[in-house]
Amino acid sequence: MDRQFFIASAQAMERSMYCIARSYLRCEADCEDALQNALLRAWEKRNTLREERYFRTWLTRILINSCKETLRRQKRETPAADFPEAAAPQGADPALWESLRALDEKYRVTVILHYRDGYGIREIASILRIPESTVKTRLSRARQQLKSLLEREEMFA
């Protein structure tokens, strides 16, 4: 993989990667650190990628691992109450964003990968290293929970 391909592909995924990092991490600085670590690791290990067509999936997996590493480090260092609340990304519906934040992490990540980033069931299964049927189940349950959360919010609005 040459430098130009790496840079162009990583830049094309920039917004998508930020949203994935944000779905795991609440603090913007942590998101940026996880992104930087993922890109550095990917660059260092670029020769391990056998087929360039899987670059998106490969880099997303590296990013998720980087986010999980950050979370493990934070568990040892910082109480969860000290984290600032995550704001909705620019242009996002605040009610939907809050409902997404309320979902369990495994559902939230699956929904973001599928609906926001356009990954297919098979790709998500590969990225998260879970069976395709589990991805389908998580998407279904997430939709049910989102519907319930949004309906509840409408009742109180």
Side-chain angles (χ1 to χ4, degrees):
M1 168 184 331
D2 68 344
R3 179 185 171 113
Q4 294 292 47
F5 174 82
F6 184 90
I7 292 171
S9 298
Q11 285 178 337
M13 292 179 60
E14 184 178 3
R15 186 156 170 73
S16 167
M17 289 175 58
Y18 180 80
C19 286
I20 291 168
R22 195 64 177 202
S23 71
Y24 277 95
L25 307 168
R26 293 178 183 235
C27 178
E28 190 164 334
D30 290 338
C31 291
E32 292 169 358
D33 287 345
L35 282 166
Q36 218 169 27
N37 289 338
L39 288 169
L40 180 62
R41 282 187 194 143
W43 177 252
E44 290 170 349
K45 302 289 185 180
R46 67 189 179 279
N47 295 327
T48 63
L49 180 62
R50 293 184 191 133
E51 295 185 45
E52 288 182 357
R53 66 182 179 167
Y54 296 121
F55 181 81
R56 279 186 57 194
T57 304
W58 177 73
L59 185 55
T60 301
R61 182 73 241 167
I62 292 171
L63 175 61
I64 288 172
N65 287 338
S66 180
C67 290
K68 286 182 176 183
E69 181 181 304
T70 300
L71 288 172
R72 280 191 298 272
R73 197 174 343 107
Q74 287 175 348
K75 275 186 180 177
R76 293 184 301 234
E77 297 172 356
T78 310
D82 292 346
F83 289 115
E85 280 301 310
Q90 190 173 13
D93 178 10
L96 179 60
W97 180 251
E98 286 304 315
S99 297
L100 273 172
R101 297 294 300 166
L103 288 177
D104 198 27
E105 179 182 297
K106 64 185 179 184
Y107 299 129
R108 183 176 57 246
V109 170
T110 307
V111 165
I112 288 173
L113 287 172
H114 185 68
Y115 291 107
R116 198 230 165 256
D117 297 331
Y119 286 104
I121 303 294
R122 182 173 287 153
E123 288 176 305
I124 295 171
S126 172
I127 290 168
L128 299 178
R129 297 183 181 143
I130 57 176
E132 289 180 35
S133 59
T134 304
V135 173
K136 292 176 186 177
T137 300
R138 286 182 182 180
L139 285 172
S140 175
R141 289 182 182 163
R143 284 190 298 265
Q144 290 171 352
Q145 288 180 16
L146 280 172
K147 180 180 178 186
S148 174
L149 289 168
L150 290 170
E151 286 175 350
R152 197 173 327 143
E153 188 170 305
E154 281 182 13
M155 281 183 13
F156 294 112

Coordinates of all heavy atoms in Angstrom, one line a residue, residues 56-113:
R56 N -11.2 0.0 4.5 CA -12.2 0.6 5.4 C -12.5 -0.3 6.6 O -12.5 0.2 7.7 CB -13.5 0.9 4.7 CG -13.5 2.1 3.8 CD -14.8 2.4 3.3 NE -15.8 2.5 4.3 CZ -17.1 2.4 4.2 NH1 -17.6 2.3 3.0 NH2 -17.9 2.5 5.2
T57 N -12.7 -1.5 6.3 CA -13.0 -2.5 7.4 C -11.8 -2.6 8.3 O -12.0 -2.6 9.6 CB -13.4 -3.8 6.8 OG1 -14.5 -3.7 5.9 CG2 -13.8 -4.8 7.9
W58 N -10.7 -2.8 7.8 CA -9.4 -2.9 8.5 C -9.2 -1.7 9.4 O -8.9 -1.9 10.6 CB -8.3 -3.2 7.5 CG -6.9 -3.3 8.1 CD1 -6.4 -4.4 8.8 CD2 -5.9 -2.4 8.0 NE1 -5.1 -4.2 9.1 CE2 -4.7 -2.9 8.6 CE3 -5.7 -1.1 7.4 CZ2 -3.5 -2.3 8.7 CZ3 -4.5 -0.4 7.5 CH2 -3.4 -1.0 8.1
L59 N -9.3 -0.5 8.9 CA -9.0 0.7 9.7 C -10.1 0.9 10.7 O -9.8 1.3 11.8 CB -8.9 1.9 8.7 CG -8.5 3.2 9.4 CD1 -7.2 3.1 10.2 CD2 -8.4 4.3 8.4
T60 N -11.3 0.5 10.4 CA -12.4 0.7 11.4 C -12.1 -0.3 12.6 O -12.3 0.1 13.7 CB -13.8 0.4 10.8 OG1 -14.0 1.3 9.7 CG2 -14.9 0.5 11.8
R61 N -11.7 -1.5 12.3 CA -11.4 -2.4 13.4 C -10.3 -1.9 14.2 O -10.3 -2.0 15.5 CB -11.0 -3.8 12.7 CG -10.7 -4.9 13.7 CD -12.0 -5.4 14.4 NE -11.9 -5.1 15.8 CZ -12.9 -5.2 16.6 NH1 -14.1 -5.5 16.2 NH2 -12.7 -5.0 17.9
I62 N -9.2 -1.3 13.6 CA -8.1 -0.8 14.4 C -8.6 0.4 15.3 O -8.3 0.5 16.5 CB -7.0 -0.3 13.5 CG1 -6.3 -1.5 12.8 CG2 -6.0 0.5 14.2 CD1 -5.4 -1.1 11.7
L63 N -9.5 1.2 14.7 CA -10.1 2.3 15.5 C -10.9 1.8 16.7 O -10.8 2.3 17.8 CB -10.9 3.2 14.6 CG -11.7 4.4 15.3 CD1 -10.7 5.3 16.0 CD2 -12.6 5.1 14.4
I64 N -11.7 0.8 16.5 CA -12.5 0.3 17.6 C -11.6 -0.3 18.7 O -11.9 -0.1 19.9 CB -13.5 -0.8 17.0 CG1 -14.6 -0.1 16.2 CG2 -14.1 -1.6 18.2 CD1 -15.5 -1.0 15.5
N65 N -10.6 -1.0 18.3 CA -9.6 -1.5 19.3 C -9.0 -0.4 20.0 O -8.8 -0.4 21.3 CB -8.6 -2.4 18.6 CG -9.1 -3.7 18.2 OD1 -10.1 -4.2 18.7 ND2 -8.5 -4.3 17.2
S66 N -8.6 0.7 19.4 CA -8.0 1.9 20.0 C -9.0 2.5 21.0 O -8.6 2.9 22.1 CB -7.6 2.9 18.9 OG -7.0 4.0 19.5
C67 N -10.3 2.6 20.6 CA -11.3 3.2 21.5 C -11.5 2.3 22.8 O -11.5 2.8 23.9 CB -12.6 3.3 20.8 SG -12.7 4.6 19.6
K68 N -11.5 1.0 22.6 CA -11.6 0.1 23.7 C -10.4 0.1 24.6 O -10.6 0.1 25.8 CB -11.8 -1.4 23.2 CG -13.2 -1.6 22.6 CD -13.4 -3.0 22.2 CE -14.9 -3.2 21.7 NZ -15.1 -4.6 21.3
E69 N -9.3 0.3 24.0 CA -8.0 0.5 24.9 C -8.1 1.7 25.7 O -7.8 1.8 26.9 CB -6.8 0.5 23.9 CG -5.5 0.7 24.7 CD -4.4 0.7 23.7 OE1 -4.2 -0.2 22.8 OE2 -3.6 1.7 23.7
T70 N -8.6 2.8 25.1 CA -8.8 4.1 25.8 C -9.8 3.9 27.0 O -9.6 4.4 28.1 CB -9.3 5.2 24.9 OG1 -8.3 5.4 23.9 CG2 -9.5 6.5 25.6
L71 N -10.9 3.2 26.7 CA -11.9 2.9 27.8 C -11.3 2.1 28.9 O -11.5 2.4 30.1 CB -13.1 2.2 27.2 CG -14.0 3.1 26.3 CD1 -15.1 2.2 25.7 CD2 -14.7 4.2 27.1
R72 N -10.5 1.1 28.6 CA -9.8 0.3 29.6 C -8.9 1.1 30.5 O -8.9 1.0 31.7 CB -9.1 -0.9 29.0 CG -9.9 -2.0 28.6 CD -9.1 -3.3 28.3 NE -8.2 -3.0 27.1 CZ -8.5 -3.2 25.9 NH1 -9.7 -3.6 25.5 NH2 -7.6 -3.0 24.9
R73 N -8.2 2.0 29.8 CA -7.3 2.9 30.5 C -8.0 3.8 31.4 O -7.6 4.1 32.6 CB -6.4 3.7 29.5 CG -5.2 4.3 30.1 CD -4.3 5.0 29.1 NE -4.5 4.6 27.7 CZ -5.0 5.4 26.8 NH1 -5.5 6.6 27.1 NH2 -5.2 5.0 25.5
Q74 N -9.2 4.3 31.0 CA -10.0 5.3 31.8 C -10.6 4.6 33.0 O -10.7 5.2 34.0 CB -11.1 5.9 30.9 CG -10.5 6.9 29.9 CD -11.6 7.4 29.0 OE1 -12.7 6.9 28.9 NE2 -11.3 8.5 28.3
K75 N -11.0 3.3 32.8 CA -11.5 2.6 34.0 C -10.6 2.6 35.1 O -11.0 2.7 36.3 CB -11.9 1.2 33.6 CG -13.2 1.0 32.9 CD -13.5 -0.4 32.7 CE -14.9 -0.6 32.1 NZ -15.2 -2.0 31.8
R76 N -9.3 2.5 34.8 CA -8.3 2.5 35.8 C -8.0 3.9 36.4 O -7.5 4.0 37.5 CB -7.0 1.9 35.3 CG -7.1 0.4 35.0 CD -5.7 -0.1 34.5 NE -5.2 0.7 33.4 CZ -4.9 0.1 32.3 NH1 -4.9 -1.2 32.1 NH2 -4.4 0.9 31.3
E77 N -8.3 4.9 35.6 CA -7.9 6.3 36.0 C -8.9 7.2 36.4 O -8.8 7.9 37.4 CB -7.2 6.9 34.8 CG -5.9 6.2 34.3 CD -5.4 6.8 33.0 OE1 -6.0 7.7 32.5 OE2 -4.3 6.4 32.6
T78 N -10.1 7.3 35.7 CA -11.1 8.3 36.0 C -12.5 7.8 36.2 O -12.9 6.9 35.5 CB -11.2 9.2 34.7 OG1 -9.8 9.6 34.3 CG2 -12.0 10.4 34.9
P79 N -13.1 8.3 37.3 CA -14.5 7.9 37.5 C -15.4 8.4 36.4 O -15.2 9.5 35.8 CB -14.9 8.6 38.8 CG -13.6 9.2 39.4 CD -12.6 9.2 38.3
A80 N -16.4 7.6 36.0 CA -17.3 8.0 34.9 C -18.0 9.3 35.1 O -18.4 10.0 34.2 CB -18.3 6.8 34.6
A81 N -18.2 9.6 36.4 CA -19.0 10.9 36.7 C -18.2 12.1 36.2 O -18.8 13.2 36.1 CB -19.3 10.9 38.1
D82 N -16.9 12.0 36.0 CA -16.1 13.1 35.7 C -16.1 13.5 34.2 O -15.6 14.5 33.8 CB -14.6 12.9 36.1 CG -14.5 12.9 37.6 OD1 -15.4 13.3 38.3 OD2 -13.4 12.5 38.1
F83 N -16.7 12.6 33.4 CA -16.8 12.8 31.9 C -17.8 13.9 31.6 O -18.9 13.9 32.1 CB -17.2 11.6 31.1 CG -16.1 10.5 31.1 CD1 -16.3 9.3 31.8 CD2 -14.9 10.8 30.5 CE1 -15.3 8.4 31.8 CE2 -13.9 9.8 30.5 CZ -14.1 8.6 31.1
P84 N -17.5 14.8 30.7 CA -18.5 15.8 30.2 C -19.5 15.1 29.3 O -19.2 14.0 28.7 CB -17.7 16.8 29.4 CG -16.5 16.0 29.0 CD -16.2 15.0 30.0
E85 N -20.7 15.6 29.2 CA -21.7 15.0 28.4 C -21.4 15.3 26.9 O -20.9 16.4 26.6 CB -23.1 15.6 28.7 CG -23.8 15.0 29.9 CD -24.0 13.6 29.7 OE1 -24.6 13.1 28.7 OE2 -23.6 12.8 30.7
A86 N -21.6 14.3 26.1 CA -21.3 14.5 24.7 C -22.4 15.3 24.0 O -23.6 15.1 24.2 CB -21.2 13.1 24.0
A87 N -22.0 16.3 23.2 CA -22.9 17.1 22.4 C -23.2 16.4 21.1 O -22.4 15.6 20.6 CB -22.4 18.4 22.2
A88 N -24.4 16.6 20.6 CA -24.8 16.1 19.3 C -23.9 16.6 18.2 O -23.5 17.8 18.2 CB -26.2 16.4 18.9
P89 N -23.4 15.8 17.2 CA -22.6 16.3 16.1 C -23.4 17.4 15.3 O -24.6 17.4 15.3 CB -22.4 15.1 15.2 CG -22.7 13.9 16.1 CD -23.7 14.4 17.1
Q90 N -22.7 18.3 14.7 CA -23.3 19.3 13.9 C -24.3 18.8 12.9 O -23.9 17.9 12.1 CB -22.2 20.2 13.3 CG -22.8 21.5 12.7 CD -21.6 22.3 12.2 OE1 -20.5 21.9 12.1 NE2 -22.0 23.6 11.9
G91 N -25.5 19.3 12.8 CA -26.5 18.8 11.9 C -27.3 17.6 12.3 O -28.2 17.2 11.6
A92 N -27.0 17.1 13.5 CA -27.7 15.9 13.9 C -28.9 16.3 14.7 O -28.9 17.4 15.4 CB -26.8 15.0 14.8
D93 N -29.9 15.5 14.7 CA -31.1 15.7 15.5 C -30.8 15.5 17.0 O -30.4 14.3 17.3 CB -32.2 14.8 15.0 CG -33.5 14.9 15.8 OD1 -33.6 15.8 16.6 OD2 -34.4 14.0 15.6
P94 N -30.9 16.5 17.8 CA -30.5 16.3 19.2 C -31.3 15.2 19.9 O -30.8 14.4 20.7 CB -30.8 17.6 19.9 CG -30.8 18.6 18.8 CD -31.3 17.8 17.5
A95 N -32.6 15.0 19.6 CA -33.4 14.0 20.3 C -32.9 12.6 19.9 O -32.8 11.7 20.7 CB -34.9 14.2 19.9
L96 N -32.6 12.4 18.6 CA -32.1 11.2 18.1 C -30.7 10.9 18.7 O -30.5 9.8 19.1 CB -32.0 11.2 16.6 CG -31.5 9.9 15.9 CD1 -32.4 8.7 16.3 CD2 -31.4 10.0 14.4
W97 N -29.9 11.9 18.8 CA -28.5 11.7 19.3 C -28.6 11.3 20.8 O -27.9 10.4 21.2 CB -27.7 13.0 19.2 CG -26.4 12.9 19.7 CD1 -25.9 13.4 20.9 CD2 -25.3 12.1 19.2 NE1 -24.6 13.1 21.0 CE2 -24.2 12.2 20.0 CE3 -25.2 11.3 18.0 CZ2 -23.0 11.6 19.8 CZ3 -23.9 10.7 17.8 CH2 -22.9 10.9 18.7
E98 N -29.5 11.9 21.6 CA -29.6 11.6 23.0 C -30.2 10.1 23.1 O -29.7 9.4 24.0 CB -30.6 12.6 23.7 CG -29.9 13.9 24.0 CD -28.6 13.8 24.7 OE1 -28.5 13.1 25.7 OE2 -27.7 14.5 24.3
S99 N -31.1 9.8 22.2 CA -31.6 8.4 22.3 C -30.5 7.4 21.9 O -30.4 6.3 22.5 CB -32.8 8.2 21.3 OG -33.8 9.1 21.7
L100 N -29.7 7.7 20.9 CA -28.5 6.9 20.6 C -27.6 6.7 21.8 O -27.1 5.6 22.0 CB -27.8 7.4 19.4 CG -28.3 7.0 18.0 CD1 -27.6 7.8 16.9 CD2 -28.2 5.6 17.8
R101 N -27.3 7.8 22.4 CA -26.4 7.8 23.6 C -27.0 7.0 24.7 O -26.2 6.4 25.5 CB -26.1 9.2 24.1 CG -25.4 10.1 23.1 CD -24.0 9.8 22.8 NE -23.1 9.7 23.9 CZ -22.0 9.1 23.9 NH1 -21.5 8.6 22.8 NH2 -21.2 9.1 25.0
A102 N -28.3 6.8 24.8 CA -28.9 6.0 25.8 C -28.8 4.6 25.6 O -29.0 3.7 26.5 CB -30.4 6.5 26.0
L103 N -28.6 4.2 24.3 CA -28.5 2.8 24.0 C -27.2 2.1 24.6 O -26.2 2.8 24.8 CB -28.4 2.6 22.4 CG -29.7 2.8 21.6 CD1 -29.3 2.6 20.1 CD2 -30.8 1.9 22.0
D104 N -27.3 0.9 24.8 CA -26.2 0.1 25.2 C -25.1 0.2 24.2 O -25.4 0.3 23.0 CB -26.6 -1.4 25.5 CG -25.6 -2.1 26.3 OD1 -24.9 -1.5 27.1 OD2 -25.6 -3.4 26.2
E105 N -23.8 0.2 24.5 CA -22.7 0.4 23.6 C -22.8 -0.6 22.4 O -22.6 -0.2 21.3 CB -21.4 0.2 24.3 CG -20.2 0.4 23.4 CD -18.9 0.1 24.2 OE1 -18.6 0.9 25.1 OE2 -18.2 -0.8 23.8
K106 N -23.1 -1.9 22.7 CA -23.1 -2.8 21.6 C -24.2 -2.5 20.5 O -24.0 -2.8 19.3 CB -23.3 -4.3 22.1 CG -24.6 -4.5 22.8 CD -24.6 -5.9 23.4 CE -25.9 -6.2 24.1 NZ -25.9 -7.5 24.8
Y107 N -25.3 -2.0 21.0 CA -26.3 -1.6 20.0 C -26.0 -0.3 19.3 O -26.2 -0.1 18.1 CB -27.7 -1.4 20.7 CG -28.2 -2.7 21.4 CD1 -28.6 -2.7 22.7 CD2 -28.2 -3.9 20.6 CE1 -29.0 -3.9 23.3 CE2 -28.7 -5.1 21.2 CZ -29.1 -5.0 22.6 OH -29.5 -6.2 23.1
R108 N -25.5 0.7 20.1 CA -25.1 2.0 19.5 C -24.1 1.9 18.4 O -24.2 2.4 17.3 CB -24.6 2.9 20.6 CG -24.3 4.3 20.2 CD -23.9 5.2 21.4 NE -22.8 4.7 22.1 CZ -22.8 4.3 23.4 NH1 -23.9 4.4 24.1 NH2 -21.7 3.9 24.0
V109 N -23.0 1.1 18.6 CA -22.0 1.0 17.7 C -22.5 0.3 16.4 O -22.2 0.7 15.3 CB -20.8 0.2 18.3 CG1 -19.8 -0.2 17.2 CG2 -20.1 1.0 19.3
T110 N -23.3 -0.7 16.6 CA -23.8 -1.5 15.4 C -24.7 -0.5 14.6 O -24.6 -0.5 13.4 CB -24.7 -2.7 15.9 OG1 -23.8 -3.5 16.8 CG2 -25.1 -3.5 14.8
V111 N -25.6 0.3 15.2 CA -26.5 1.2 14.5 C -25.6 2.2 13.8 O -25.9 2.5 12.6 CB -27.4 1.9 15.5 CG1 -28.1 3.1 14.9 CG2 -28.5 0.9 16.0
I112 N -24.6 2.8 14.4 CA -23.8 3.8 13.7 C -23.1 3.2 12.5 O -23.0 3.8 11.5 CB -22.9 4.5 14.7 CG1 -23.7 5.4 15.7 CG2 -21.8 5.3 14.0 CD1 -22.9 6.0 16.8
L113 N -22.5 2.0 12.7 CA -21.8 1.4 11.6 C -22.7 1.1 10.4 O -22.4 1.3 9.3 CB -21.1 0.1 12.0 CG -19.9 0.3 12.9 CD1 -19.5 -1.1 13.4 CD2 -18.8 0.9 12.2

